[in-house]
Amino acid sequence: MDLAELIIVEMRAVDDWVSIADALKVMGTSSFDADRDEVRRVLDCVDTSDRLRLGRVTGRFEEIPKPLPITALLESIFDEDDPGDRTGAMMGLFIDQVRSADEQAKEAAARQGRTPHGGVLLPPGWTVLDDQQLLWELFTEAFGFRPGGREPTRPVIVEPAPSITVDLTVPDDRVGVWRSRVDAVNAEALRCFVAEFAEDPMWVVLVRQDFCYRLDAAVHAATRHPDWRVSAYPKGDYSIFLREDFSDGIVGQPWEQSLCVFGERLVGSLGRTLATWLPVIRIDGRPVGSV
């Protein structure tokens, strides 16, 4: 199976675009360790394939026309000295599959009943937030959100008490382990979102490089083969799921490869179950061993 096919298989597995960093993982390497030739191989693959396209996401997918400016793209990535900043640059470049009219029609038919928004059919239970900027400002003020890659191992928020942060690190050559872990974390998060908050299963989902959403977890859970518009497991971007009052939630950090669960109810459910099989690295924001 060639690289283009591997990338398409990965897109189908996550049902979403994949970043350059994700494509490198499919190749068995890490964006932190990848050299210029390895990134060039991904860009060349997209450039020469009639099934793939490259772009950036600013609300929606914005395609970079072919032939791709590969030299300029490489310079924009490798001008960054810090591996975390290079990874951030790679995470900002997304690969999408070029679909024929027949394929698009089949997908639309398969997704009947989803909410349309901006040309995108949303899964059941997902709606786009109207007050996105305000919620981002409130979240940043409340949690000291500090995105960036210069310190990839530092917490991205001031982790509150109670909270528990687990390590999601998977060796680069264990793609099967990574995929099964994504499914397991998503499934357990959804179970707790619904079971622990049955009286009001609504969640705010903040996304830096896309629309932000409101999730009705009960509707999502009741859907056959539920489609995560945004994964609870961080894949190429931060995963931020919050109660409306910020009392409970999760914040996933892709660079540190960690997931922080906070709030009394969610720590007692999701945090407790994840800690039975994932290493705990911080409790209430303090490294394990110093608590």
Side-chain angles (χ1 to χ4, degrees):
M1 191 179 295
D2 64 16
L3 179 56
E5 188 62 32
L6 286 171
I7 292 172
I8 290 172
V9 168
E10 179 66 14
M11 280 191 285
R12 289 173 178 167
V14 302
D15 194 21
D16 206 348
W17 307 307
V18 298
S19 68
I20 297 293
D22 296 323
L24 289 167
K25 184 173 288 189
V26 168
M27 291 168 53
T29 189
S30 163
S31 56
F32 281 88
D33 302 321
D35 60 26
R36 188 180 292 259
D37 288 340
E38 288 169 318
V39 178
R40 179 183 290 276
R41 181 185 170 196
V42 176
L43 294 173
D44 283 337
C45 171
V46 176
D47 196 35
T48 57
S49 173
D50 58 2
R51 304 177 66 190
L52 300 174
R53 60 178 185 156
L54 188 73
R56 295 183 173 88
V57 176
T58 54
R60 65 178 62 195
F61 190 94
E62 296 183 356
E63 183 175 0
I64 299 174
K66 293 183 179 181
L68 294 177
I70 292 177
T71 300
L73 291 170
L74 288 171
E75 290 300 323
S76 68
I77 293 170
F78 287 94
D79 276 352
E80 303 288 353
D81 295 328
D82 184 85
D85 291 335
R86 290 199 296 272
T87 293
M90 295 181 209
M91 287 180 173
L93 293 169
F94 289 88
I95 303 170
D96 186 28
Q97 182 179 0
V98 177
R99 296 168 176 82
S100 67
D102 287 343
E103 289 173 324
Q104 292 178 23
K106 288 178 182 178
E107 287 185 3
R111 297 185 177 191
Q112 284 182 358
R114 297 185 177 189
T115 305
H117 180 84
V120 177
L121 292 171
L122 298 179
W126 295 80
T127 54
V128 172
L129 283 171
D130 294 326
D131 48 355
Q132 300 184 31
Q133 185 60 41
L134 174 60
L135 283 167
W136 264 119
E137 291 173 359
L138 292 173
F139 172 72
T140 299
E141 181 179 353
F143 292 91
F145 180 62
R146 299 178 300 160
R150 291 196 175 277
E151 299 175 79
T153 59
R154 65 161 169 77
V156 73
I157 63 169
V158 177
E159 296 174 343
S163 67
I164 185 169
T165 304
V166 295
D167 183 6
L168 301 177
T169 304
V170 176
D172 293 332
D173 59 349
R174 305 287 294 278
V175 177
V177 173
W178 177 78
R179 287 178 178 167
S180 63
R181 183 171 289 186
V182 170
D183 291 340
V185 170
N186 281 344
E188 183 60 14
L190 181 59
R191 185 189 72 81
C192 294
F193 288 172
V194 175
E196 185 63 33
F197 300 88
E199 77 285 356
D200 179 17
M202 300 298 294
W203 294 81
V204 169
V205 184
L206 300 183
V207 187
R208 292 189 68 223
Q209 301 183 54
D210 199 352
F211 296 112
C212 298
Y213 301 94
R214 192 177 305 279
L215 168 64
D216 186 329
V219 172
H220 181 76
T223 303
R224 187 179 181 183
H225 306 306
D227 176 6
W228 287 87
R229 179 65 184 167
V230 179
S231 171
Y233 188 107
K235 298 185 303 181
D237 198 356
Y238 302 103
S239 59
I240 304 172
F241 288 69
L242 308 163
R243 301 296 292 165
E244 188 97 34
D245 61 359
F246 297 168
S247 59
D248 295 80
I250 63 173
V251 176
Q253 184 174 348
W255 296 344
E256 187 187 37
Q257 298 183 58
S258 66
L259 184 72
C260 175
V261 181
F262 67 87
E264 185 174 349
R265 296 173 69 179
L266 209 53
V267 167
S269 52
L270 179 60
R272 179 176 57 80
T273 55
L274 292 181
T276 63
W277 61 280
L278 289 171
V280 176
I281 57 176
R282 288 186 295 275
I283 296 176
D284 296 346
R286 292 177 289 175
V288 170
S290 67
V291 179

